[in-house]
Amino acid sequence: MKSNNELCRYVPSMMLFLLFEAVAVTLWLTKDNLFYLLNFSYIGGCLGVGTALFTAGKRYARRFVQLAVGSYMLIYLGVISRENMQIEGFWYYLFLGVFEAATIHYAVAKIFGPLLFGRGWCGYACWTAMVLDFLPYKQPQKPRKEKLGILRYVMFALSLALVSGLFLMKVAHLEQIMFWLFLAGNALYYIAGFVFAYLFKDNRAFCKYLCPVTFFLKPVSYFSLLRVHCDEDKCIHCGKCLRVCPMNVEVNKESRKRKNGTECILCYECTKVCPTKALH
């Protein structure tokens, strides 16, 4: 009986893997391209193993997924395969009218996927955050500058304007330009991420103030099936969860309308420090 209960703990991990495997098989068959089977099977496998490690109480679980998925997307898909997987790549394929590469990635990870797993992408797979999370400011040292969040929407508009302009001007060698934009964009993101982390003493300052993908993630994540729940009857308002949350989410509230609720990256740091197990 005890072994059965132990196995039940890993059902969510198996379900997550099967979900990505279903996406992998569907895209493989509909697009007639074996790459999609291998790509999403790998990502789903990493997520499944990572969440299983988390369930087993391994502290390195999330870091494992970040490095395994983030490095794969940055180095293999981005640098080696020369696919622009950033938001400019999404606009590029969208304007071409092609459901490939970045458009599929955005559909799964950042537009429809968050209905199921919220901003799990930000916590477990983002290659920008993968690097920034190595910095020493894991817990925000200063209050969040709410008004600076508008910069994310400025970045979103600029990326759209940039790619739109390239198409309207019918610039030649656009595919090659998108690759160089990927390299330049990542360099810019990392530099800005390091600067903002130092200025605000916060590893996730880039996510809070500059990341343009927020435009897609925030509204959809509000309805996420997977989220951190709070049993407010058990909460003693010690504030430990609020201090460790890297995204300044009001996790000691159960309501979806809690402050910064759509910013949760499902790192579950709050659940680890809760003395009454009110968070789960």
Side-chain angles (χ1 to χ4, degrees):
M1 183 65 71
K2 185 177 179 180
S3 60
N4 288 336
N5 290 334
E6 283 292 315
L7 287 175
C8 287
R9 296 172 58 208
Y10 297 99
V11 168
S13 298
M14 290 185 281
M15 293 296 291
L16 185 60
F17 169 71
L18 291 175
L19 173 64
F20 273 81
E21 195 64 21
V23 172
V25 173
T26 301
L27 289 173
W28 170 41
L29 296 177
T30 56
K31 306 294 290 185
D32 192 25
N33 190 335
L34 184 62
F35 165 77
Y36 292 110
L37 178 64
L38 300 176
N39 178 73
F40 284 97
S41 294
Y42 171 78
I43 294 174
C46 290
L47 291 171
V49 171
T51 53
L53 289 172
F54 179 86
T55 302
K58 306 299 182 182
R59 296 192 63 85
Y60 59 82
R62 189 168 68 90
R63 174 62 66 189
F64 161 77
V65 182
Q66 278 186 307
L67 292 172
V69 179
S71 298
Y72 164 75
M73 298 196 71
L74 174 65
I75 298 173
Y76 177 73
L77 294 183
V79 178
I80 297 176
S81 299
R82 300 173 70 91
E83 293 283 1
N84 189 331
M85 302 301 289
Q86 297 203 119
I87 192 168
E88 291 79 20
F90 170 72
W91 297 129
Y92 171 69
Y93 282 105
L94 190 66
F95 293 157
L96 287 178
V98 178
F99 190 57
E100 296 283 354
T103 45
I104 293 177
H105 165 63
Y106 267 71
V108 173
K110 299 167 181 175
I111 297 177
F112 300 111
L115 287 171
L116 296 176
F117 46 75
R119 293 183 62 169
W121 159 264
C122 305
Y124 293 82
C126 175
W127 58 84
T128 304
M130 171 187 75
V131 173
L132 297 179
D133 275 352
F134 277 110
L135 298 176
Y137 312 116
K138 292 178 173 55
Q139 298 178 16
Q141 303 297 306
K142 296 181 179 181
R144 183 168 180 154
K145 308 292 185 181
E146 301 290 347
K147 292 183 179 180
L148 285 183
I150 196 172
L151 292 176
R152 298 184 289 191
Y153 303 103
V154 173
M155 294 283 286
F156 179 88
L158 289 175
S159 71
L160 176 56
L162 173 61
V163 182
S164 299
L166 293 173
F167 271 87
L168 289 172
M169 291 186 292
K170 298 182 180 179
V171 176
H173 309 296
L174 193 51
E175 185 172 347
Q176 186 175 356
I177 290 174
M178 294 308 298
F179 172 66
W180 288 107
L181 279 178
F182 174 78
L183 297 180
N186 274 289
L188 177 63
Y189 279 15
Y190 285 126
I191 292 171
F194 279 111
V195 171
F196 269 59
Y198 175 77
L199 289 176
F200 296 99
K201 301 296 184 289
D202 183 353
N203 287 359
R204 289 277 174 163
F206 174 86
C207 311
K208 298 170 185 176
Y209 307 129
L210 290 177
C211 181
V213 183
T214 300
F215 184 91
F216 296 118
L217 290 171
K218 279 181 68 69
V220 184
S221 296
Y222 180 85
F223 303 99
S224 174
L225 180 64
L226 183 62
R227 57 194 291 265
V228 174
H229 292 276
C230 177
D231 185 341
E232 294 189 44
D233 291 334
K234 291 183 179 180
C235 180
I236 58 175
H237 303 287
C238 62
K240 290 182 178 180
C241 58
L242 302 180
R243 288 191 290 274
V244 301
C245 179
M247 297 300 289
N248 305 111
V249 179
E250 192 180 23
V251 287
N252 59 353
K253 302 290 183 183
E254 173 61 15
S255 172
R256 288 185 183 270
K257 295 181 179 180
R258 58 190 174 189
K259 188 175 181 180
N260 298 320
T262 57
E263 302 279 324
C264 178
I265 60 173
L266 299 176
C267 65
Y268 290 101
E269 292 300 318
C270 56
T271 65
K272 297 175 185 177
V273 300
C274 181
T276 61
K277 306 301 178 185
L279 300 171
H280 54 91

